[in-house]
Amino acid sequence: MKKNIKNVFVCDGRSRAALSIIRSIGKKNINVIVGESFKCSSFYSKYALKKIIYPCPQKELDEFKKFIIDYLFHNKIDVFIPVRDDTTEFVVKNYVDISKLTSIVVPSKKSFNASRDKSETIKFARKLDIPHPKTILTENEKYNIKLLKKEFHLPILIKPRISSGSRGIKIVYNWDDFEFIFNEVSKEYPFPLIQEFIPHGGAFGVSVLYDKNKLKAFFTHKRIREFPESGGPSTLREGVHFEEIEKYSFKLMTDINWNGVAMIEYRIDKKTNEPKLMEINPRFWGSLETAVFSGVDFPNLLYELSINKECDYVLKYKEGKRVRWLFFGDLLWFLNTKKTINNIKSFFVFKNKNLSYDIFSLNDLGPLYGSFIEAFTSFFKKDRRKHAFKRGW
């Protein structure tokens, strides 16, 4: 590594958000070290100066902690960036130890828990009068079938308090199945939410960067396509403005006393056309590249905030820019969606001045090759296969 050039360690190289961070920061002549628990697609990026395989934070947390602390102690790392839930939670919980060795920008433990736990998010929504699905918090609110039948119309959702990518969510179409489904979800996710089903009339996300509860940047995107279509990650999305949900988001994150990045998700109620708060992602999000392509470079803003304790305000951006997760999200969407003329035509549009891609880049082709290698090897590993397909309901 060259002297006087900053070194940034980016965790969770498997994620599309990590690749976006690696490319954005790497283009600024900054040394980028990429970490993951297995050889992943981001390792093939030309901007990944060094690749580190570490213990899996989900399965080997103690070993992961020891590895990271030792690595930071013995190597000059100027900025450490967690990406996925587990590594972000790890940094939040070990902030004191890690902040002595490198620069990090994350929320407080209290703020992180309020945003990651959907039951806590619902409490904030109630307090701030932000529209949200009717919800029963089973940890402290009593319920029985008779009351549920009076208050809810089928279908309803049984939703984990803590999960990502729509994992663990089950839908109930028949009251006779309720107890079985509720107990099934409860085994893996204690005290799940019982929640009103919101008919899909569109979905949006508001992404933010806060510096000690001061808004520094934001970006809003509309989900054009998702896989699964019931409500999985977006495979095609577009930069837009939506003042109503932006105001809700600023109000919510300010009340939670936020620091760092987050993305707040909304679904439009098809019956009323009203946006409903669904959840907060207290970390970098899968569709990050859409914001970068539209002019809100969250990775470099976070880097500047980490290094200089200050960054520019970015409160304007270009609307209409689209980013696509072609391999393999959008391909799976196409294979599973109805083959209408509009769907076929839209899928086969591959080139447009306002269109970019999460992984494919003519300037950095390695990750595309790596994504095929990663997908092939993941198919033969039960835990990674389960993680990939355990989405939606």
Side-chain angles (χ1 to χ4, degrees), residues 70-133:
D70 286 349
Y71 190 89
L72 293 175
F73 183 80
H74 290 104
N75 296 272
K76 180 182 177 294
I77 300 298
D78 298 285
V79 179
F80 187 81
I81 302 178
V83 179
R84 300 177 74 234
D85 290 307
D86 297 303
T87 52
T88 303
E89 183 177 24
F90 162 78
V91 173
V92 168
K93 288 183 176 179
N94 295 278
Y95 180 84
V96 174
D97 292 337
I98 297 173
S99 62
K100 292 175 183 177
L101 303 171
T102 186
S103 182
I104 47 176
V105 176
V106 291
S108 68
K109 191 182 298 185
K110 182 179 180 181
S111 298
F112 179 80
N113 291 338
S115 59
R116 193 179 185 201
D117 187 330
K118 295 176 180 64
S119 65
E120 294 301 312
T121 302
I122 290 295
K123 292 175 186 177
F124 274 92
R126 289 173 175 175
K127 170 188 170 185
L128 300 170
D129 199 27
I130 295 173
H132 59 279

Side-chain angles (χ1 to χ4, degrees), residues 222-365:
K222 178 182 180 181
R223 291 168 170 245
I224 308 298
R225 296 199 285 259
E226 302 168 318
F227 179 78
E229 291 182 280
S230 58
S234 62
T235 64
L236 176 68
R237 79 296 298 193
E238 178 180 316
V240 298
H241 273 293
F242 195 151
E243 188 175 352
E244 184 179 6
I245 63 172
E246 289 161 1
K247 287 181 177 179
Y248 289 147
S249 300
F250 305 154
K251 187 178 181 181
L252 176 65
M253 302 313 286
T254 299
D255 205 62
I256 291 176
N257 194 31
W258 198 250
N259 188 56
V261 295
M263 195 266 280
I264 307 95
E265 294 188 20
Y266 298 83
R267 176 178 269 204
I268 306 299
D269 190 328
K270 192 174 183 179
K271 294 183 295 185
T272 64
N273 206 35
E274 182 182 34
K276 300 285 181 70
L277 172 68
M278 302 307 290
E279 64 179 337
I280 302 170
N281 295 297
R283 49 164 172 77
F284 276 111
W285 49 99
S287 58
L288 172 62
E289 184 60 25
T290 315
V292 175
F293 185 53
S294 301
V296 188
D297 193 339
F298 283 103
N300 273 296
L301 290 170
L302 184 76
Y303 169 81
E304 291 295 335
L305 191 57
S306 301
I307 291 292
N308 302 321
K309 310 306 176 187
E310 185 58 72
C311 70
D312 292 335
Y313 287 93
V314 183
L315 306 177
K316 293 181 180 180
Y317 53 86
K318 297 176 182 177
E319 295 183 66
K321 298 284 188 179
R322 289 188 172 192
V323 173
R324 187 179 187 188
W325 177 24
L326 181 56
F327 299 110
F328 290 92
D330 216 26
L331 179 60
L332 289 170
W333 169 84
F334 182 71
L335 293 174
N336 288 273
T337 196
K338 293 179 180 178
K339 302 302 184 290
T340 63
I341 293 175
N342 285 338
N343 283 345
I344 293 170
K345 281 184 176 180
S346 65
F347 180 81
F348 285 99
V349 174
F350 297 113
K351 191 174 181 181
N352 185 301
K353 67 177 182 179
N354 289 318
L355 177 66
S356 187
Y357 294 85
D358 286 331
I359 298 174
F360 172 73
S361 170
L362 288 174
N363 187 46
D364 187 27
L365 285 170

Side-chain angles (χ1 to χ4, degrees), residues 82 163 180:
S163 72
F180 174 80

